[in-house]
Amino acid sequence: MSKQSTPFLFGDETEIEDLGGGLKRQVLGYNHELMMVKVWFAKGAEGYVHKHRHSQVTYVEAGEFHFNIGGEIKVLKPGDSCLIPPHVEHGAVCPTGGILIDTFSPAREDFLKE
């Protein structure tokens, strides 16, 4: 990836993508090494179990999330975070509705529109 975001991004001017299933995503900044993404979950929405080559750290900004990382399930609330190593299956269910801040290294090229 040779692209990167502009140095300053403003939340009210940055696209929010509706992913369906009660999920929305906003890319907050990226270059080839790093990406930050804000994800909104509607009440009961689920981030399906998946895996990818990226290291991921997720911070819970709002709501309650039931995270499954490698088959271990924990409840995370605002202020909590988790580390997801590359190639480990993970997913989350949000019974309350909430917001996550995800960081990825390297950046998730599949999140970028060409």
Side-chain angles (χ1 to χ4, degrees):
M1 174 186 346
S2 60
K3 296 168 67 174
Q4 68 178 27
S5 62
T6 60
F8 298 98
L9 290 95
F10 301 94
D12 60 351
E13 298 174 4
T14 303
E15 179 183 4
I16 298 172
E17 180 181 4
D18 189 339
L19 303 174
L23 298 172
K24 294 181 181 180
R25 173 173 63 212
Q26 183 180 44
V27 176
L28 301 177
Y30 65 92
N31 64 16
H32 68 283
E33 297 174 336
L34 182 67
M35 175 181 273
M36 181 179 282
V37 178
K38 186 173 189 175
V39 185
W40 288 265
F41 281 67
K43 183 177 181 178
E46 181 175 351
Y48 67 92
V49 174
H50 64 287
K51 61 183 177 178
H52 44 72
R53 68 183 185 91
H54 312 83
S55 293
Q56 178 177 342
V57 175
T58 295
Y59 173 79
V60 179
E61 181 177 311
E64 177 181 294
F65 289 85
H66 298 202
F67 265 89
N68 175 347
I69 301 175
E72 182 177 5
I73 298 172
K74 298 283 185 185
V75 176
L76 277 69
K77 296 182 179 181
D80 295 340
S81 59
C82 59
L83 168 68
I84 303 161
H87 307 291
V88 172
E89 288 193 337
H90 60 282
V93 176
C94 185
T96 62
I99 300 171
L100 298 177
I101 304 296
D102 290 331
T103 54
F104 299 97
S105 180
R108 294 285 307 258
E109 293 181 21
D110 54 319
F111 286 6
L112 301 174
K113 295 179 180 180
E114 295 299 322

